[in-house]
Amino acid sequence: MKGWSEDDPSAAWSALLTSCTKLSRQPQWKSACDAAGTLGTQPGSTRARHYFEQHFSPWLLRNTETSTEGLVTGYYEPLIRGSRSRNQRYAWPIHGAPADMLTIELGDVYPELKHLRLRGRVVGNKVLPYWTREQLAERGDQVPAPVLLWADDPIDLFFLQVQGSGRVQLPDGRTVRVGYADQNGHPYQSIGRWLVAQGELTLDQASMDGIKRWASANPQRLRELLNTNPSYVFFRELPASNGGPIGALGVPLTEGRSIAVDPRYVPLGAPVFLATTYPLSNRALNRLMLAQDTGSAIKGAVRADFFWGFGEQAGREAGRMRQQGQMWVLLPKGIRPPGAR
């Protein structure tokens, strides 16, 4: 694995132990997780490296027979301002999951479509696609979904939805943690790419900060901008905690050591060695990660979203990250990855 010797695998140890709280229930993972448990919480670099080399086999992920590079983006846990009550300042709803949305698990009928699902709504005797972002905005208070909180900025709320979890600071200084509850079933479309296609921004300017600046300068086009992405994320309120947000695996994410992947190609919870570069640079970022999350925009074998942590600095790094990289999934010896030949 390119760069394996450059990383300290013990830095990913706590994330591995977190993954093992879920993976150890699976027979193929139990031996490796039990062995990790015997080494304690701080095994040191040498023992951690020996552990991974003894218990796992690396599998290079490929998009095609010849393509082993893919896109690596970043995400983070944002802090936005909000309120429990609606007023002139706090006017943008943070919705919980709607009562009328159906979720159809395709894998229940077609096993080869595991991890794929449809969302819809019943109209008469038909199931139709659920409302798009634009349609939800048009319905306003008629949306059959609870309002958990009210945000003061629509762009901040949009990026909260893109990240999938975050914290909301109330007027009295307290914070509320919210996490992903569901999504309306429509594909994610990048508003940054739309701005580039419209000639409003260059590709280099289409970062999160660049989009926010454009929105601030063009408030009359805000709704047009947001509606270019039909995807809409619904949230749930989470208990207060000091750890990272809860990912799709059901465990807290670890800053700088968790990634979101496409579970069709990478089992959730698995170690993944990522060879990429830091945002806007050629400086190598070779790091052992844990696949603990998913995302609607994370599709393909060589595709990762790097979790940078909480706050403004993490947001800056995440917003600038759009690198190329390679990925090796580490599986217990004797186990083959999905689709391996």
Side-chain angles (χ1 to χ4, degrees):
M1 293 182 291
K2 181 178 69 176
W4 170 247
S5 62
E6 300 169 13
D7 186 37
D8 177 3
S10 68
W13 196 257
S14 65
L16 171 71
L17 295 181
T18 302
S19 274
C20 277
T21 62
K22 300 291 185 179
L23 291 177
S24 60
R25 304 171 189 173
Q26 303 175 30
Q28 65 269 36
W29 285 91
K30 190 175 187 307
S31 177
C33 284
D34 286 350
T38 66
L39 297 179
T41 59
Q42 296 180 321
S45 179
T46 299
R47 295 179 73 195
R49 188 179 304 279
H50 177 71
Y51 162 82
F52 283 107
E53 293 173 352
Q54 180 181 15
H55 290 278
F56 293 90
S57 296
W59 295 83
L60 177 63
L61 295 171
R62 295 177 180 273
N63 292 312
T64 65
E65 286 291 341
T66 58
S67 171
T68 63
E69 285 203 345
L71 179 64
V72 183
T73 51
Y75 71 120
Y76 76 113
E77 186 182 22
L79 176 68
I80 72 171
R81 295 179 299 274
S83 173
R84 292 283 188 190
S85 58
R86 183 183 196 174
N87 57 40
Q88 188 173 359
R89 176 178 177 182
Y90 299 102
W92 300 85
I94 302 175
H95 281 295
D100 66 337
M101 188 170 70
L102 299 177
T103 300
I104 303 170
E105 299 288 346
L106 297 179
D108 292 345
V109 181
Y110 305 102
E112 66 273 18
L113 299 180
K114 183 181 179 182
H115 302 303
L116 295 180
R117 57 183 60 89
L118 295 174
R119 274 86 166 190
R121 54 193 173 89
V122 176
V123 179
N125 61 354
K126 295 182 179 181
V127 176
L128 300 180
Y130 202 69
W131 308 109
T132 65
R133 174 182 296 274
E134 182 174 6
Q135 291 168 334
L136 287 167
E138 290 172 350
R139 291 177 64 81
D141 294 339
Q142 300 302 310
V143 175
V147 177
L148 306 180
L149 298 149
W150 296 90
D152 76 337
D153 185 282
I155 289 291
D156 284 346
L157 174 55
F158 179 88
F159 281 111
L160 175 69
Q161 292 186 317
V162 171
Q163 305 308 315
S165 63
R167 306 181 198 184
V168 182
Q169 187 172 51
L170 303 179
D172 63 5
R174 291 180 299 144
T175 59
V176 177
R177 194 168 224 166
V178 294
Y180 176 93
D182 216 327
Q183 187 257 0
N184 65 344
H186 292 272
Y188 170 81
Q189 300 291 335
S190 168
I191 61 174
R193 290 183 182 177
W194 182 82
L195 287 169
V196 172
Q198 296 293 310
E200 298 291 332
L201 296 177
T202 65
L203 189 59
D204 289 344
Q205 294 171 333
S207 64
M208 184 168 58
D209 287 341
I211 293 169
K212 286 183 176 181
R213 285 193 293 269
W214 185 92
S216 179
N218 297 273
Q220 74 283 0
R221 298 186 65 188
L222 178 60
R223 182 57 68 187
E224 177 189 7
L225 172 68
L226 297 181
N227 288 343
T228 62
N229 176 28
S231 174
Y232 193 93
V233 170
F234 304 100
F235 292 96
R236 58 192 174 101
E237 191 169 332
L238 300 175
S241 67
N242 293 322
I246 304 298
L249 182 63
V251 300
L253 303 181
T254 299
E255 176 181 333
R257 291 290 170 173
S258 295
I259 54 172
V261 298
D262 187 336
R264 294 176 298 172
Y265 304 97
V266 179
L268 275 179
V272 176
F273 190 75
L274 177 66
T276 185
T277 52
Y278 280 89
L280 301 180
S281 81
N282 294 318
R283 184 161 63 98
L285 175 57
N286 300 321
R287 189 172 292 186
L288 181 64
M289 312 291 292
L290 275 297
Q292 296 175 328
D293 207 0
T294 61
S296 60
I298 312 305
K299 302 297 181 185
V302 191
R303 179 71 174 93
D305 212 14
F306 187 105
F307 179 64
W308 282 96
F310 169 72
E312 290 185 9
Q313 181 57 38
R316 281 191 289 271
E317 296 293 349
R320 298 182 298 178
M321 191 169 198
R322 192 173 179 84
Q323 317 298 111
Q324 290 293 299
Q326 291 182 304
M327 298 164 60
W328 289 260
V329 59
L330 276 60
L331 297 178
K333 291 190 174 180
I335 305 299
R336 296 168 67 85
R341 292 177 295 276

